[in-house]
Amino acid sequence: MTWLGWGLTYLVYALLLGVAILAGLWSYRVFTTGDTSFSFAWLFPPKPVPRLAVMEQAHVDRMRRLVLIRRDDVEHLIMTGGPVDVVIETGIAAPLRMEDEMGLNGQDRQEPDPPVFARKTRTFGQAVNE
């Protein structure tokens, strides 16, 4: 047998040994945790929840603009672009959802009244002004 044949033989044995080691580690994990899934989720964790967001911005003039920034449910109004950036207002509470403002939860919600001048729906073959 040539050196190429011996090299391929050792390569096959090394691959079989690696597969056997991985199978042993996976079976140990299954035995200890009971989790039989095989995924690479531990390599790609979920993204963290963003804490900072630009909510709105408005241009004041050619150089300056107002920026409303939200951080952890608190908003800050900042003017940028001039000789100095200025914090105009800080600690603005984030707006509540409409249900929270009205004090309603899912059970107390009322349906809106139907429109006063509701017309009948037309079928596919009807003319427009009939």
Side-chain angles (χ1 to χ4, degrees), residues 74-87:
V74 176
E75 293 182 348
H76 307 279
L77 185 61
I78 301 171
M79 182 179 290
T80 62
V84 178
D85 295 340
V86 180
V87 177

Side-chain angles (χ1 to χ4, degrees), residues 4-5 20 46-47 58 81 88 96 101 104 110 121:
L4 185 60
K47 287 185 176 181
I88 295 176
L96 299 173
E101 289 177 358
L104 300 175
Q110 296 177 353
T121 58

Side-chain angles (χ1 to χ4, degrees), residues 102-129:
M102 297 173 65
L104 300 175
N105 56 19
Q107 298 154 353
D108 298 335
R109 191 172 302 163
Q110 296 177 353
E111 293 297 321
D113 293 333
V116 177
F117 298 109
R119 65 176 173 84
K120 295 189 309 184
T121 58
R122 291 186 288 241
T123 61
F124 182 69
Q126 277 184 315
V128 175
N129 292 327

Side-chain angles (χ1 to χ4, degrees), residues 28-61:
Y28 174 73
R29 180 175 156 243
V30 169
F31 179 72
T32 56
T33 64
D35 183 18
T36 60
S37 66
F38 185 77
S39 68
F40 293 104
W42 58 275
L43 287 175
F44 307 104
K47 287 185 176 181
V49 176
R51 296 179 55 205
L52 184 66
V54 175
M55 301 310 296
E56 291 183 38
Q57 58 183 340
H59 292 279
V60 176
D61 57 18

